[in-house]
Amino acid sequence: MSRTCELTAKAVMSGNNVSHANNKTKRRFLPNLVNVTLISEALNQNVRLRISANALRSVEHRGGLDAFLAKADIKELSQRARLLKKQIAKKTAEQAAA
């Protein structure tokens, strides 16, 4: 399992530790990933995702998983999140037509 957020595509970055003497050594900046269960109102099911803490705040700010995925860019989402986005869009279109 890669260290990548499934919603925002936030991944590992590399950089340097810089000492007081300006010595530089390589280091990795890891994203703060958490396993969460989010509720999709459109699908009436729970979805388990591994997302960053920052993405979790964004999901809450936008009003839930459905609203976040509706506004999210497809390029940034994982395969699983893309599938969820399609399912949610299809379900909301069905509900709007009925």
Side-chain angles (χ1 to χ4, degrees):
M1 183 182 290
S2 63
R3 294 178 191 253
T4 305
C5 175
E6 291 185 338
L7 293 182
T8 60
K10 186 177 283 195
V12 177
M13 295 176 63
S14 62
N16 292 315
N17 279 333
V18 181
S19 70
H20 186 68
N22 206 27
N23 296 330
K24 295 174 182 73
T25 56
K26 284 293 186 186
R27 63 160 293 182
R28 297 172 72 202
F29 294 94
L30 302 177
N32 183 11
L33 297 178
V34 290
N35 293 318
V36 295
T37 302
L38 299 172
I39 300 168
S40 172
E41 285 105 20
L43 300 176
N44 283 336
Q45 68 182 17
N46 296 335
V47 181
R48 293 196 58 183
L49 296 170
R50 190 170 187 224
I51 63 175
S52 64
N54 189 3
L56 184 58
R57 291 184 69 210
S58 299
V59 167
E60 293 298 319
H61 179 72
R62 288 202 182 147
L65 180 64
D66 298 344
F68 180 87
L69 288 175
K71 200 169 184 181
D73 189 18
I74 286 186
K75 294 178 224 168
E76 293 181 353
L77 299 176
S78 68
Q79 284 297 110
R80 189 162 170 227
R82 288 178 189 178
L83 178 66
L84 278 171
K85 181 174 176 156
K86 281 184 184 178
Q87 289 175 346
I88 290 169
K90 184 177 177 184
K91 195 68 137 178
T92 54
E94 287 175 3
Q95 290 173 351

